[in-house]
PDB file of all heavy atoms in Angstrom:
ATOM      1  N   GLU A 115      -8.378   3.780  -6.969  1.00 98.00           N
ATOM      2  CA  GLU A 115      -7.046   3.192  -6.886  1.00 98.00           C
ATOM      3  C   GLU A 115      -6.191   4.024  -7.834  1.00 98.00           C
ATOM      4  O   GLU A 115      -6.499   4.130  -9.030  1.00 98.00           O
ATOM      5  CB  GLU A 115      -7.072   1.726  -7.314  1.00 98.00           C
ATOM      6  CG  GLU A 115      -8.033   0.911  -6.446  1.00 98.00           C
ATOM      7  CD  GLU A 115      -7.608  -0.523  -6.263  1.00 98.00           C
ATOM      8  OE1 GLU A 115      -6.948  -1.065  -7.146  1.00 98.00           O
ATOM      9  OE2 GLU A 115      -7.960  -1.092  -5.196  1.00 98.00           O
ATOM     10  N   VAL A 117      -2.877   4.433  -9.705  1.00 99.00           N
ATOM     11  CA  VAL A 117      -1.730   3.625 -10.132  1.00 99.00           C
ATOM     12  C   VAL A 117      -0.699   4.535 -10.796  1.00 99.00           C
ATOM     13  O   VAL A 117      -1.038   5.354 -11.651  1.00 99.00           O
ATOM     14  CB  VAL A 117      -2.175   2.491 -11.096  1.00 99.00           C
ATOM     15  CG1 VAL A 117      -0.977   1.828 -11.769  1.00 99.00           C
ATOM     16  CG2 VAL A 117      -2.993   1.449 -10.334  1.00 99.00           C
ATOM     17  N   ARG A 119       2.889   4.470 -12.923  1.00 99.00           N
ATOM     18  CA  ARG A 119       3.689   3.529 -13.724  1.00 99.00           C
ATOM     19  C   ARG A 119       4.936   4.197 -14.257  1.00 99.00           C
ATOM     20  O   ARG A 119       4.875   5.309 -14.792  1.00 99.00           O
ATOM     21  CB  ARG A 119       2.878   3.044 -14.924  1.00 99.00           C
ATOM     22  CG  ARG A 119       1.582   2.371 -14.561  1.00 99.00           C
ATOM     23  CD  ARG A 119       0.879   1.914 -15.830  1.00 99.00           C
ATOM     24  NE  ARG A 119      -0.402   1.276 -15.521  1.00 99.00           N
ATOM     25  CZ  ARG A 119      -0.548  -0.006 -15.223  1.00 99.00           C
ATOM     26  NH1 ARG A 119       0.491  -0.801 -15.175  1.00 99.00           N
ATOM     27  NH2 ARG A 119      -1.747  -0.497 -14.970  1.00 99.00           N
ATOM     28  N   ALA A 123       4.154  -2.823 -17.703  1.00 98.00           N
ATOM     29  CA  ALA A 123       3.927  -4.137 -17.082  1.00 98.00           C
ATOM     30  C   ALA A 123       2.424  -4.305 -16.855  1.00 98.00           C
ATOM     31  O   ALA A 123       1.654  -3.339 -17.006  1.00 98.00           O
ATOM     32  CB  ALA A 123       4.674  -4.251 -15.757  1.00 98.00           C
ATOM     33  N   GLY A 124       2.043  -5.524 -16.519  1.00 98.00           N
ATOM     34  CA  GLY A 124       0.671  -5.827 -16.103  1.00 98.00           C
ATOM     35  C   GLY A 124      -0.381  -5.418 -17.114  1.00 98.00           C
ATOM     36  O   GLY A 124      -0.222  -5.610 -18.321  1.00 98.00           O
ATOM     37  N   SER A 125      -1.462  -4.807 -16.601  1.00 98.00           N
ATOM     38  CA  SER A 125      -2.620  -4.516 -17.455  1.00 98.00           C
ATOM     39  C   SER A 125      -2.296  -3.492 -18.545  1.00 98.00           C
ATOM     40  O   SER A 125      -2.950  -3.486 -19.587  1.00 98.00           O
ATOM     41  CB  SER A 125      -3.792  -4.032 -16.603  1.00 98.00           C
ATOM     42  OG  SER A 125      -3.497  -2.792 -16.010  1.00 98.00           O
ATOM     43  N   TYR A 146      -8.445   4.081 -11.165  1.00 98.00           N
ATOM     44  CA  TYR A 146      -9.418   2.993 -11.261  1.00 98.00           C
ATOM     45  C   TYR A 146     -10.462   3.239 -10.178  1.00 98.00           C
ATOM     46  O   TYR A 146     -10.114   3.671  -9.070  1.00 98.00           O
ATOM     47  CB  TYR A 146      -8.742   1.634 -11.020  1.00 98.00           C
ATOM     48  CG  TYR A 146      -7.729   1.278 -12.085  1.00 98.00           C
ATOM     49  CD1 TYR A 146      -6.430   1.782 -12.027  1.00 98.00           C
ATOM     50  CD2 TYR A 146      -8.069   0.445 -13.144  1.00 98.00           C
ATOM     51  CE1 TYR A 146      -5.492   1.463 -13.008  1.00 98.00           C
ATOM     52  CE2 TYR A 146      -7.143   0.124 -14.131  1.00 98.00           C
ATOM     53  CZ  TYR A 146      -5.864   0.636 -14.057  1.00 98.00           C
ATOM     54  OH  TYR A 146      -4.950   0.320 -15.033  1.00 98.00           O
ATOM     55  N   ASP A 154     -12.814  -3.166 -10.497  1.00 97.00           N
ATOM     56  CA  ASP A 154     -12.019  -1.920 -10.494  1.00 97.00           C
ATOM     57  C   ASP A 154     -11.778  -1.353 -11.899  1.00 97.00           C
ATOM     58  O   ASP A 154     -10.653  -1.388 -12.417  1.00 97.00           O
ATOM     59  CB  ASP A 154     -10.650  -2.143  -9.820  1.00 97.00           C
ATOM     60  CG  ASP A 154     -10.760  -2.558  -8.370  1.00 97.00           C
ATOM     61  OD1 ASP A 154     -11.843  -2.389  -7.779  1.00 97.00           O
ATOM     62  OD2 ASP A 154      -9.764  -3.071  -7.822  1.00 97.00           O
ATOM     63  N   ASP A 200       5.825  -0.198 -11.052  1.00 99.00           N
ATOM     64  CA  ASP A 200       4.549   0.505 -10.882  1.00 99.00           C
ATOM     65  C   ASP A 200       4.027   0.232  -9.476  1.00 99.00           C
ATOM     66  O   ASP A 200       4.576  -0.617  -8.761  1.00 99.00           O
ATOM     67  CB  ASP A 200       3.516   0.091 -11.957  1.00 99.00           C
ATOM     68  CG  ASP A 200       3.262  -1.411 -11.991  1.00 99.00           C
ATOM     69  OD1 ASP A 200       3.369  -2.058 -10.934  1.00 99.00           O
ATOM     70  OD2 ASP A 200       2.967  -1.938 -13.076  1.00 99.00           O
ATOM     71  N   PHE A 201       3.020   0.970  -9.071  1.00 99.00           N
ATOM     72  CA  PHE A 201       2.425   0.733  -7.744  1.00 99.00           C
ATOM     73  C   PHE A 201       1.063   1.385  -7.668  1.00 99.00           C
ATOM     74  O   PHE A 201       0.703   2.220  -8.491  1.00 99.00           O
ATOM     75  CB  PHE A 201       3.342   1.234  -6.613  1.00 99.00           C
ATOM     76  CG  PHE A 201       3.701   2.696  -6.697  1.00 99.00           C
ATOM     77  CD1 PHE A 201       2.985   3.659  -5.986  1.00 99.00           C
ATOM     78  CD2 PHE A 201       4.760   3.109  -7.494  1.00 99.00           C
ATOM     79  CE1 PHE A 201       3.324   5.005  -6.072  1.00 99.00           C
ATOM     80  CE2 PHE A 201       5.105   4.458  -7.586  1.00 99.00           C
ATOM     81  CZ  PHE A 201       4.377   5.406  -6.867  1.00 99.00           C
ATOM     82  N   LYS A 202       0.315   0.967  -6.636  1.00 98.00           N
ATOM     83  CA  LYS A 202      -1.052   1.453  -6.429  1.00 98.00           C
ATOM     84  C   LYS A 202      -1.133   2.213  -5.106  1.00 98.00           C
ATOM     85  O   LYS A 202      -0.585   1.753  -4.090  1.00 98.00           O
ATOM     86  CB  LYS A 202      -1.995   0.251  -6.401  1.00 98.00           C
ATOM     87  CG  LYS A 202      -3.453   0.573  -6.352  1.00 98.00           C
ATOM     88  CD  LYS A 202      -4.072   0.517  -4.989  1.00 98.00           C
ATOM     89  CE  LYS A 202      -3.990  -0.812  -4.303  1.00 98.00           C
ATOM     90  NZ  LYS A 202      -4.630  -0.810  -2.974  1.00 98.00           N
ATOM     91  N   ASP A 225       2.795  -6.269  -2.100  1.00 98.00           N
ATOM     92  CA  ASP A 225       1.460  -6.634  -2.580  1.00 98.00           C
ATOM     93  C   ASP A 225       0.904  -5.571  -3.521  1.00 98.00           C
ATOM     94  O   ASP A 225       0.032  -5.866  -4.338  1.00 98.00           O
ATOM     95  CB  ASP A 225       0.480  -6.757  -1.398  1.00 98.00           C
ATOM     96  CG  ASP A 225       0.327  -8.186  -0.918  1.00 98.00           C
ATOM     97  OD1 ASP A 225       1.110  -9.059  -1.348  1.00 98.00           O
ATOM     98  OD2 ASP A 225      -0.581  -8.432  -0.089  1.00 98.00           O
ATOM     99  N   THR A 226       1.358  -4.333  -3.376  1.00 98.00           N
ATOM    100  CA  THR A 226       0.763  -3.216  -4.118  1.00 98.00           C
ATOM    101  C   THR A 226       1.753  -2.540  -5.077  1.00 98.00           C
ATOM    102  O   THR A 226       1.423  -1.521  -5.684  1.00 98.00           O
ATOM    103  CB  THR A 226       0.202  -2.147  -3.149  1.00 98.00           C
ATOM    104  OG1 THR A 226       1.286  -1.618  -2.379  1.00 98.00           O
ATOM    105  CG2 THR A 226      -0.838  -2.713  -2.206  1.00 98.00           C
ATOM    106  N   CYS A 227       2.969  -3.089  -5.161  1.00 98.00           N
ATOM    107  CA  CYS A 227       3.986  -2.527  -6.062  1.00 98.00           C
ATOM    108  C   CYS A 227       4.499  -3.636  -6.974  1.00 98.00           C
ATOM    109  O   CYS A 227       4.461  -4.808  -6.607  1.00 98.00           O
ATOM    110  CB  CYS A 227       5.216  -2.042  -5.279  1.00 98.00           C
ATOM    111  SG  CYS A 227       4.905  -0.790  -4.045  1.00 98.00           S
ATOM    112  N   ARG A 228       5.050  -3.270  -8.148  1.00 98.00           N
ATOM    113  CA  ARG A 228       5.886  -4.221  -8.888  1.00 98.00           C
ATOM    114  C   ARG A 228       7.334  -3.826  -8.641  1.00 98.00           C
ATOM    115  O   ARG A 228       7.707  -2.662  -8.868  1.00 98.00           O
ATOM    116  CB  ARG A 228       5.567  -4.203 -10.388  1.00 98.00           C
ATOM    117  CG  ARG A 228       4.337  -4.978 -10.728  1.00 98.00           C
ATOM    118  CD  ARG A 228       4.239  -5.351 -12.194  1.00 98.00           C
ATOM    119  NE  ARG A 228       3.074  -6.215 -12.387  1.00 98.00           N
ATOM    120  CZ  ARG A 228       1.846  -5.760 -12.624  1.00 98.00           C
ATOM    121  NH1 ARG A 228       1.619  -4.470 -12.749  1.00 98.00           N
ATOM    122  NH2 ARG A 228       0.839  -6.604 -12.758  1.00 98.00           N
ATOM    123  N   ARG A 244       0.621 -14.166  -8.527  1.00 98.00           N
ATOM    124  CA  ARG A 244      -0.262 -14.096  -9.705  1.00 98.00           C
ATOM    125  C   ARG A 244       0.190 -15.069 -10.786  1.00 98.00           C
ATOM    126  O   ARG A 244      -0.623 -15.706 -11.444  1.00 98.00           O
ATOM    127  CB  ARG A 244      -0.253 -12.679 -10.297  1.00 98.00           C
ATOM    128  CG  ARG A 244      -0.875 -11.601  -9.412  1.00 98.00           C
ATOM    129  CD  ARG A 244      -1.042 -10.293 -10.195  1.00 98.00           C
ATOM    130  NE  ARG A 244      -1.390  -9.168  -9.342  1.00 98.00           N
ATOM    131  CZ  ARG A 244      -0.507  -8.283  -8.896  1.00 98.00           C
ATOM    132  NH1 ARG A 244       0.780  -8.386  -9.213  1.00 98.00           N
ATOM    133  NH2 ARG A 244      -0.900  -7.284  -8.119  1.00 98.00           N
TER     134      ARG A 244
HETATM  135  N1  LIG B 321      -2.491  -3.107  -7.957  1.00 58.73           N
HETATM  136  C1  LIG B 321      -2.934  -3.279  -6.665  1.00 58.73           C
HETATM  137  N2  LIG B 321      -4.242  -3.613  -6.435  1.00 58.73           N
HETATM  138  C2  LIG B 321      -5.121  -3.784  -7.447  1.00 58.73           C
HETATM  139  C3  LIG B 321      -4.678  -3.620  -8.776  1.00 58.73           C
HETATM  140  C4  LIG B 321      -3.361  -3.283  -8.994  1.00 58.73           C
HETATM  141  O1  LIG B 321      -2.166  -3.122  -5.715  1.00 58.73           O
HETATM  142  O2  LIG B 321      -6.312  -4.072  -7.176  1.00 58.73           O
HETATM  143  C5  LIG B 321      -1.088  -2.732  -8.218  1.00 58.73           C
HETATM  144  C6  LIG B 321      -0.311  -3.866  -8.850  1.00 58.73           C
HETATM  145  O3  LIG B 321       0.340  -4.640  -7.857  1.00 58.73           O
HETATM  146  C7  LIG B 321       0.690  -3.140  -9.716  1.00 58.73           C
HETATM  147  C8  LIG B 321      -0.035  -1.843 -10.108  1.00 58.73           C
HETATM  148  O4  LIG B 321      -1.076  -1.670  -9.156  1.00 58.73           O
HETATM  149  O5  LIG B 321       1.838  -2.807  -8.964  1.00 58.73           O
HETATM  150  C9  LIG B 321      -0.601  -1.855 -11.502  1.00 58.73           C
HETATM  151  O6  LIG B 321      -1.409  -2.982 -11.667  1.00 58.73           O
HETATM  152  P1  LIG B 321      -2.064  -3.353 -13.080  1.00 58.73           P
HETATM  153  O7  LIG B 321      -3.035  -2.292 -13.473  1.00 58.73           O
HETATM  154  O8  LIG B 321      -0.990  -3.667 -14.045  1.00 58.73           O
HETATM  155  O9  LIG B 321      -2.978  -4.592 -12.782  1.00 58.73           O
HETATM  156  P2  LIG B 321      -2.619  -6.108 -12.564  1.00 58.73           P
HETATM  157  O10 LIG B 321      -1.811  -6.523 -13.749  1.00 58.73           O
HETATM  158  O11 LIG B 321      -1.880  -6.156 -11.271  1.00 58.73           O
HETATM  159  O12 LIG B 321      -3.987  -6.729 -12.499  1.00 58.73           O
END
Side-chain angles (χ1 to χ4, degrees):
E115 302 211 331
V117 168
R119 302 181 181 274
S125 66
Y146 295 82
D154 298 344
D200 56 31
F201 57 96
K202 187 262 300 181
D225 264 11
T226 62
C227 301
R228 281 198 174 88
R244 293 190 191 98

